Amino acid sequence: MTENYQVLPGYKRFNQKNNAIMRSAWDPKLGSYDPRNRRVIKEHVHNADPGFDHLDFALSNGATAVASSLGTAINRPNAGLTSWESLAKQWGRTFPVEADRFEGGDPARMRKALERVARFYGAELVGFTPLDMRWVYSHHYYPGKDENPPVEIPEGCGQAIVMGVSMDHGMFATAPTAIMMAETQRNYSRLAALAGSVAEFIRTLGYTAIPCMNDTALSVPLAIDAGLGQPSRLGPVVTPEFGPRVRFCKVFTDLPLKAEKKHIDFGVIEFCEACEKCAQACPARSLAFGPRTTEPKNISNNPGVLKWYGNYESCRLYWAYLGTNCGICLRVCPFNHGRGPHHWLAERLVRLKWRWVNRLLVWLHGWLGYGGQKDPRAFWNGAKA
């Protein structure tokens, strides 16, 4: 089994201030992102560009309503639905037996119950892992306030529940467009409600729960530790069910679950070694060619982990050029597949980890025309994109 993450001695936790999205608020190198992005969007709307017209951007803005309008900025900790305090108490409500702590007995029973609850609230993927503090940010960052306080997880919150929701295959096939971005934003709104609901369930049982989205801790390594997928050349987790078309949220808790790390291996790393489609397709040349490394591209990477590092400076600036959050790399990834017996067979062949087979599958993926951009107007015409 290939080790998903090899972490070098001396690895240090990452400061959220240095990720590319946060850097847009304080680093002159990326500081032109927001005004440039607004200007580009106005030009798209004025020109009625397919996939970037007024209807398309309105769709995206509506989709982010829950994640943004309810005070839950995607990268901001302890806010809105992802508050670290009981939402019921904030609303002036208390559960009659809130003071009593639920004694669930067998932790395996509680894990099963939590998975049922998470799926009921909207999760499509659910995994459990001990909270590895290496993946927790060293410091939060609050844009606008320029505050960078240390992250302090409450004592005892050593269990992580990692939940994922999939993104629509057809909408992502239009990338890079506002149609694709709308699907991304819709899923962040789903995740805000999901994380907040699961946390409130746990609090009502008398335990602490810390919900988070892209804040507080790194989603990719936690999802990998929870057995939900493997790391990839393009950066996001690749899952057996949906490939890279998944967004994640997390809840940290002191509820006894006794979760264990559960790394899975279905051949992603070996396939990515043979396939460079995402790097070839990236217009900003932000994704790495060649083998994995432990060396970062810039301060928006955290060194000391063997993986493929992306240049998220150039990636972020390309977003500004487009007016959307791109998504081309996810669109062209061979793991971003549909359903059918031929895809099932390809999945089984990838698990063999034979390099010549992987190269053949990469060639077939291109020869059959997979990964091409679909007409974004199909969404408004009621057809599948």
Side-chain angles (χ1 to χ4, degrees):
M1 174 176 173
T2 300
E3 188 175 356
N4 282 320
Y5 271 138
Q6 298 175 34
V7 184
L8 299 183
Y11 169 88
K12 295 180 180 179
R13 288 160 57 189
F14 189 48
N15 188 334
Q16 188 188 12
K17 182 177 182 178
N18 290 332
N19 80 35
I21 293 176
M22 296 293 99
R23 283 176 61 192
S24 299
W26 64 267
D27 189 340
K29 195 169 187 177
L30 298 179
S32 62
Y33 172 83
D34 285 335
R36 186 187 306 178
N37 201 47
R38 287 194 291 270
R39 184 177 68 252
V40 168
I41 290 173
K42 287 184 71 173
E43 291 173 356
H44 279 314
V45 171
H46 177 76
N47 296 331
D49 296 327
F52 299 87
D53 68 16
H54 206 151
L55 279 174
D56 300 325
F57 280 107
L59 181 70
S60 178
N61 279 359
T64 194
V66 172
S68 298
S69 300
L70 295 184
T72 313
I74 294 164
N75 298 285
R76 186 182 298 275
N78 195 9
L81 291 175
T82 55
S83 170
W84 292 16
E85 303 298 327
S86 169
L87 297 174
K89 286 183 178 178
Q90 293 179 37
W91 300 330
R93 296 169 52 196
T94 55
F95 190 68
V97 295
E98 189 176 17
D100 299 329
R101 173 167 284 197
F102 176 79
E103 300 299 335
D106 182 11
R109 174 175 174 251
M110 285 309 305
R111 285 199 305 273
K112 186 175 182 180
L114 254 297
E115 180 174 357
R116 178 72 181 91
V117 166
R119 292 188 181 277
F120 173 73
Y121 290 145
E124 293 174 87
L125 299 177
V126 185
F128 303 88
T129 180
L131 178 57
D132 189 332
M133 288 299 296
R134 293 178 301 181
W135 311 136
V136 175
Y137 283 125
S138 63
H139 294 74
H140 292 302
Y141 182 66
Y142 295 89
K145 298 180 180 179
D146 199 29
E147 296 177 0
N148 196 205
V151 177
E152 297 179 354
I153 301 297
E155 186 176 355
C157 286
Q159 306 289 305
I161 306 161
V162 186
M163 298 163 285
V165 296
S166 68
M167 295 178 286
D168 182 78
H169 182 273
M171 294 182 79
F172 250 79
T174 71
T177 63
I179 295 291
M180 172 279 304
M181 187 165 66
E183 177 62 359
T184 301
Q185 302 292 13
R186 182 178 77 96
N187 279 279
Y188 278 128
S189 286
R190 291 172 63 194
L191 290 171
L194 171 60
S197 297
V198 170
E200 201 66 10
F201 170 83
I202 293 171
R203 293 173 187 135
T204 308
L205 298 180
Y207 295 87
T208 301
I210 305 300
C212 48
M213 292 169 57
N214 289 351
D215 58 279
T216 307
L218 301 167
S219 293
V220 168
L222 284 172
I224 290 166
D225 283 352
L228 299 180
Q230 287 192 267
S232 66
R233 183 183 294 276
L234 57 85
V237 176
V238 168
T239 65
E241 297 86 354
F242 309 110
R245 286 181 293 103
V246 183
R247 302 283 173 178
F248 292 100
C249 63
K250 301 88 67 179
V251 175
F252 308 145
T253 182
D254 57 356
L255 178 68
L257 298 171
K258 289 189 178 177
E260 298 179 355
K261 286 187 180 181
K262 182 188 175 184
H263 283 200
I264 62 172
D265 182 356
F266 57 104
V268 174
I269 292 175
E270 289 80 5
F271 188 87
C272 284
E273 288 173 345
C275 176
E276 296 180 332
K277 277 186 171 290
C278 59
Q280 293 164 357
C282 178
R285 293 294 179 259
S286 299
L287 300 179
F289 289 88
R292 293 178 294 167
T293 179
T294 58
E295 296 301 318
K297 300 286 187 183
N298 50 59
I299 64 169
S300 287
N301 300 139
N302 204 27
V305 179
L306 181 63
K307 63 178 184 178
W308 289 283
Y309 288 91
N311 183 344
Y312 299 117
E313 289 179 356
S314 57
C315 177
R316 183 70 168 169
L317 291 173
Y318 188 70
W319 287 15
Y321 169 78
L322 282 174
T324 72
N325 54 359
C326 193
I328 292 174
C329 55
L330 276 75
R331 188 193 82 210
V332 304
C333 177
F335 285 102
N336 177 27
H337 52 68
R339 294 299 172 194
H342 52 306
H343 292 301
W344 178 88
L345 176 59
E347 291 170 5
R348 295 305 179 273
L349 291 173
V350 168
R351 291 174 185 269
L352 296 174
K353 303 182 182 180
W354 294 346
R355 189 171 181 83
W356 72 268
V357 170
N358 286 338
R359 289 194 175 279
L360 175 63
L361 291 172
V362 172
W363 179 82
L364 284 172
H365 183 268
W367 184 73
L368 292 170
Y370 290 118
Q373 185 183 23
K374 305 299 182 182
D375 187 345
R377 291 169 292 191
F379 175 85
W380 298 109
N381 295 333
K384 275 198 170 290

